[in-house]
Amino acid sequence: QLQVVESGGGLVQPGGSLRLSCLASGFSLDDYSIGWFRQAPGKEREGVSCITNTGGTNTYVDSVKGRFTISRDNAKNTVYLQMNSLKPEDTAVYYCAANRAYYCSGHQWSYKHWGQGTQVTVSS
């Protein structure tokens, strides 16, 4: 069974940091690009960042550039999203998703395999 599972969310104060993990099973990250998406309360889901099998990246939300970093460890079948200097507007459910392609896409329809989501709440 091909699946991805997110972890690492939680409650953090503004300015704090979290590292989200996306563990893949049933397939090899060598053959997939992985995207991170988020959905804030009352808003549509948006693509945040993606990473290819070889480590190329794209970021689709200007407000997270310089604060969020996506990376992968293929040996561990895990993709990470390091989130620093968190702001209240980063509050959302964060999802990882797998795209069987060797390029990045910020469009959710490119991804067939989705995790359950992990809640990130940034509040003082």
Side-chain angles (χ1 to χ4, degrees), residues 3-77:
Q3 62 178 333
V4 290
V5 178
E6 306 95 334
S7 62
L11 175 64
V12 65
Q13 295 186 178
S17 297
L18 286 172
R19 188 179 73 164
L20 306 183
S21 298
C22 176
L23 176 63
S25 62
F27 67 101
S28 173
L29 291 184
D30 290 341
D31 301 317
Y32 285 78
S33 296
I34 301 295
W36 283 99
F37 296 78
R38 68 183 184 183
Q39 187 166 23
K43 298 181 66 177
E44 296 182 357
R45 186 164 58 190
E46 63 179 349
V48 178
S49 187
C50 73
I51 188 165
T52 72
N53 63 315
T54 55
T57 63
N58 282 87
T59 299
Y60 302 102
V61 181
D62 287 342
S63 63
V64 311
K65 292 180 179 178
R67 299 190 296 119
F68 290 12
T69 302
I70 190 169
S71 63
R72 69 195 298 157
D73 186 339
N74 285 13
K76 296 181 178 179
N77 253 23

